[in-house]
Amino acid sequence: MTAIHLSISLTTLYSIYFATPMPDKPFQIACDNCSLANLCMPMGLSQAEIQRFDHFIQREKIFHKGDTIFRQGDPFHTIAVVRSGALKLYQLDEEGELTGLQFALAGEIVGLDGIKDEQYHLSAIAIETTAICQITYQDLLHLAQEIPSLQKSLFSLFSQQLNHHYHVNLNATAEQRFAKFLLSISARVARRGYSATQFNLSMSRQDIACYLGLATETVSRLFKRFSDENILAVKKREIKIHDLRQLQIISCGHSHP
Amino acid sequence: MTAIHLSISLTTLYSIYFATPMPDKPFQIACDNCSLANLCMPMGLSQAEIQRFDHFIQREKIFHKGDTIFRQGDPFHTIAVVRSGALKLYQLDEEGELTGLQFALAGEIVGLDGIKDEQYHLSAIAIETTAICQITYQDLLHLAQEIPSLQKSLFSLFSQQLNHHYHVNLNATAEQRFAKFLLSISARVARRGYSATQFNLSMSRQDIACYLGLATETVSRLFKRFSDENILAVKKREIKIHDLRQLQIISCGHSHP
DNA sequence: CGTTTGATTGACCTTAGTCAAGAGGCGTGG
DNA sequence: CCACGCCTCTTGACTAAGGTCAATCAAACG
């Protein structure tokens, strides 16, 4: 088969195809056609309100693996939502020791921690290619004042974020924590309509270990153990869960009866 | 010395002393004269706004040790603030196992977790005699809509609560966690104007252990160790911290150089 | 004044962390 | 294209921190 290589710019292609010059933001997703809208700030808003809200959203930024979104201590101005990809959020103490680590997946909001002291308390970096939507806190406050249902969904999102933090259990064993982690990722991926049993982890073993308060070796051994017990299949960072029920049982601490 | 025992009701005493019948809410603190106002929801409000806000606050309830404020799974209607005393907040999983535990001291807000699913995700019980102020979420939403600075302080409080949860460090040693816990209590007590170095813990050793993800025996041993090292003095639940600086050093993991 | 509940202390054991070595990928540059 | 070095991950052997079990003590409470 012979391949024909065309050298043609996107702008030209666009204008040929649509018979009109390419606008500034040609293929951009707006809130009212975003698949995450029901998980995100505009949830519960009317069509008109969503369009009004959308007007204040910045979507230019694409971050690559390792890029910084904001740093702990930076002055706080904007709230961000992960549109696609994933972020790692972490906190260092005065000595530079890591004191906390979380992940933000598509549809999840980051930066709310900055409101109180007008500075971010966490650093955020992309752990894969990541698109984010941003809104300034000033705009958000004004909009929430004018749109009661936005105010309500913001409170709701805050509440959800609080609940999410209750899930790390200090008393759980390594096995329980790890099972709970996999279930959490599964649920978060599934919430956006993807498979709950097949996904790839964008975070390193080391990040998982830090998040769970374990050593990387322990995480590695748990992957092996669960794989040996046929609970899941793992190939690099590609995970296929075979027995979701068993994971649930393990996460509650009834692993080996 | 001879004691004279008078049997006389508060109502009667009030009317004798003030020469007027006792009103329904005689000695009640209002938001505009409450010492916690600058930590609480009305922070940043004008005098007039505080008085408007105050109108929606219920203050009748006094809870005794062991009394339940709300239960995990109860329908969510109200947000509460601890005016004096202390609460224990805890979460059980489906199996009835404890999965999380926190404390709320005077000036701290509880119930925000309930907003998202319209039910409380934590149970709250008093661990000493506790007075709370309550407001219904409905009223709060309406007020926040009308009073921009209230909306702003609510977001700020939410943000603060999120930050507070980042402080539990899964990678810390028993010693570090314990030191951090004492520092946290110290700071929270001091914020209300009380001594940062002398306070009494209203929670049991078991509660502290659960909160820190340790065994009660370990907590007991840590109290002894710190006491032996002259970092603090402990008598039952009465704590006197001698060396706050050393606690800070320990909490960062530089205990024994 | 016994009974109960919470705290302390000691002896022992388990879990998971540490150290060390090796394997598998990935990108860079010769 | 292959070789080299650099990561990340895996696996094994040993160790230590802290959990468990059990006994004792102290305070609280009816």
Side-chain angles (χ1 to χ4, degrees):
Chain A
M1 195 203 249
T2 313
I4 300 166
H5 293 276
L6 287 175
S7 196
I8 187 168
S9 79
L10 180 62
T11 314
T12 314
L13 191 64
Y14 185 98
S15 53
I16 292 169
Y17 192 83
F18 292 103
T20 165
M22 185 167 82
D24 282 347
K25 302 175 176 180
F27 304 114
Q28 196 163 84
I29 289 171
C31 288
D32 62 355
N33 64 23
C34 176
S35 64
L36 300 171
N38 59 328
L39 304 175
C40 189
M41 293 189 268
M43 69 183 180
L45 267 60
S46 74
Q47 198 63 20
E49 288 166 343
I50 290 182
Q51 277 163 19
R52 175 149 161 60
F53 178 81
D54 181 70
H55 186 250
F56 293 89
I57 302 297
Q58 295 165 326
R59 290 195 187 73
E60 289 75 24
K61 303 273 184 65
I62 297 286
F63 296 90
H64 297 283
K65 188 172 175 169
D67 289 351
T68 297
I69 288 78
F70 50 77
R71 273 202 185 75
Q72 183 179 353
D74 280 357
F76 163 80
H77 297 299
T78 67
I79 306 279
V81 179
V82 180
R83 193 162 75 243
S84 67
L87 303 180
K88 172 167 85 173
L89 303 158
Y90 61 93
Q91 193 176 39
L92 306 176
D93 66 13
E94 314 79 49
E95 320 274 321
E97 292 294 310
L98 186 72
T99 57
L101 196 152
Q102 306 160 52
F103 305 108
L105 309 185
E108 297 174 355
I109 298 182
V110 296
L112 295 178
D113 56 276
I115 294 174
K116 169 68 186 178
D117 300 320
E118 294 180 340
Q119 61 172 31
Y120 296 105
H121 286 206
L122 303 170
S123 297
I125 68 168
I127 53 175
E128 62 180 306
T129 302
T130 297
I132 69 170
C133 300
Q134 285 180 292
I135 184 167
T136 71
Y137 183 52
Q138 280 311 314
D139 289 342
L140 194 61
L141 274 181
H142 290 140
L143 283 168
Q145 205 64 63
E146 291 169 30
I147 308 175
S149 51
L150 178 61
Q151 186 191 65
K152 206 172 166 184
S153 49
L154 289 175
F155 285 137
S156 190
L157 284 166
F158 256 117
S159 173
Q160 186 178 28
Q161 195 136 137
L162 276 178
N163 286 320
H164 185 237
H165 285 293
Y166 299 151
H167 279 112
V168 185
N169 183 355
L170 289 162
N171 295 296
T173 64
E175 196 179 56
Q176 284 172 288
R177 288 185 203 182
F178 185 61
K180 202 163 257 184
F181 167 74
L182 291 173
L183 289 170
S184 159
I185 297 290
S186 165
R188 287 152 79 183
V189 169
R191 216 166 64 115
R192 314 193 330 256
Y194 292 89
S195 167
T197 56
Q198 202 162 2
F199 46 85
N200 73 331
L201 295 173
S202 41
M203 59 290 278
S204 69
R205 300 287 193 265
Q206 197 171 112
D207 288 341
I208 297 172
C210 269
Y211 172 71
L212 296 172
L214 303 172
T216 58
E217 293 93 330
T218 306
V219 170
S220 201
R221 287 176 185 121
L222 285 166
F223 268 122
K224 183 160 178 13
R225 171 133 49 109
F226 282 13
S227 185
D228 287 349
E229 291 174 359
N230 217 35
I231 294 167
L232 50 77
V234 50
K235 194 175 149 193
K236 287 184 6 169
R237 295 184 176 181
E238 193 68 40
I239 307 294
K240 188 167 184 177
I241 296 177
H242 295 139
D243 195 344
L244 217 48
R245 182 84 198 98
Q246 187 59 24
L247 271 188
Q248 259 141 7
I249 292 168
I250 291 172
S251 78
C252 292
H254 301 273
S255 48
H256 300 295
Chain B
M1 193 202 247
T2 313
I4 302 166
H5 293 277
L6 287 174
S7 195
I8 187 169
S9 79
L10 181 62
T11 314
T12 312
L13 192 63
Y14 186 98
S15 53
I16 292 167
Y17 194 83
F18 291 103
T20 165
M22 185 167 82
D24 283 349
K25 303 174 176 180
F27 304 114
Q28 197 164 85
I29 290 170
C31 289
D32 63 354
N33 63 24
C34 177
S35 65
L36 301 170
N38 59 328
L39 306 175
C40 188
M41 295 190 266
M43 67 182 180
L45 268 60
S46 72
Q47 197 64 19
E49 288 166 343
I50 291 182
Q51 277 164 19
R52 174 149 161 61
F53 177 80
D54 181 70
H55 186 252
F56 293 89
I57 302 296
Q58 294 164 327
R59 290 194 188 76
E60 288 74 25
K61 303 273 184 66
I62 297 286
F63 295 90
H64 296 283
K65 188 173 176 169
D67 289 352
T68 296
I69 288 79
F70 50 75
R71 273 203 184 74
Q72 183 179 352
D74 280 357
F76 163 80
H77 296 299
T78 67
I79 307 279
V81 178
V82 180
R83 194 163 73 243
S84 66
L87 303 181
K88 172 167 85 173
L89 302 159
Y90 60 94
Q91 194 176 38
L92 307 177
D93 66 12
E94 315 79 50
E95 320 275 320
E97 291 294 311
L98 186 73
T99 58
L101 196 152
Q102 306 160 54
F103 306 107
L105 308 185
E108 296 173 356
I109 298 182
V110 297
L112 296 175
D113 55 276
I115 294 172
K116 169 69 185 178
D117 300 320
E118 295 180 339
Q119 60 171 32
Y120 295 106
H121 287 208
L122 303 170
S123 297
I125 67 168
I127 53 175
E128 62 180 306
T129 303
T130 297
I132 68 170
C133 300
Q134 286 180 292
I135 184 168
T136 71
Y137 184 52
Q138 279 312 313
D139 289 342
L140 193 62
L141 275 181
H142 290 141
L143 282 169
Q145 205 63 63
E146 291 168 31
I147 308 175
S149 50
L150 177 61
Q151 187 192 66
K152 207 172 166 185
S153 45
L154 289 175
F155 284 137
S156 189
L157 284 167
F158 256 117
S159 174
Q160 186 178 25
Q161 196 135 137
L162 277 177
N163 286 320
H164 186 236
H165 286 293
Y166 300 151
H167 278 111
V168 185
N169 182 355
L170 289 161
N171 296 295
T173 64
E175 197 179 53
Q176 284 172 288
R177 290 185 202 182
F178 185 61
K180 203 163 255 184
F181 167 74
L182 290 173
L183 288 170
S184 159
I185 297 290
S186 165
R188 287 152 79 184
V189 168
R191 217 166 62 115
R192 314 194 328 259
Y194 291 89
S195 167
T197 55
Q198 201 162 2
F199 45 85
N200 73 328
L201 295 172
S202 42
M203 58 290 276
S204 68
R205 301 288 193 264
Q206 198 172 111
D207 288 340
I208 297 171
C210 268
Y211 172 73
L212 296 173
L214 303 172
T216 58
E217 293 92 330
T218 306
V219 170
S220 201
R221 286 176 186 122
L222 285 165
F223 267 121
K224 184 159 176 15
R225 171 136 46 111
F226 284 12
S227 185
D228 287 350
E229 291 174 0
N230 218 33
I231 295 166
L232 50 78
V234 51
K235 195 174 145 192
K236 289 184 4 171
R237 295 183 177 180
E238 193 67 40
I239 308 294
K240 188 166 183 176
I241 298 177
H242 294 138
D243 196 344
L244 219 47
R245 182 81 200 101
Q246 187 60 23
L247 272 187
Q248 258 141 8
I249 292 167
I250 291 172
S251 78
C252 293
H254 300 274
S255 47
H256 302 294

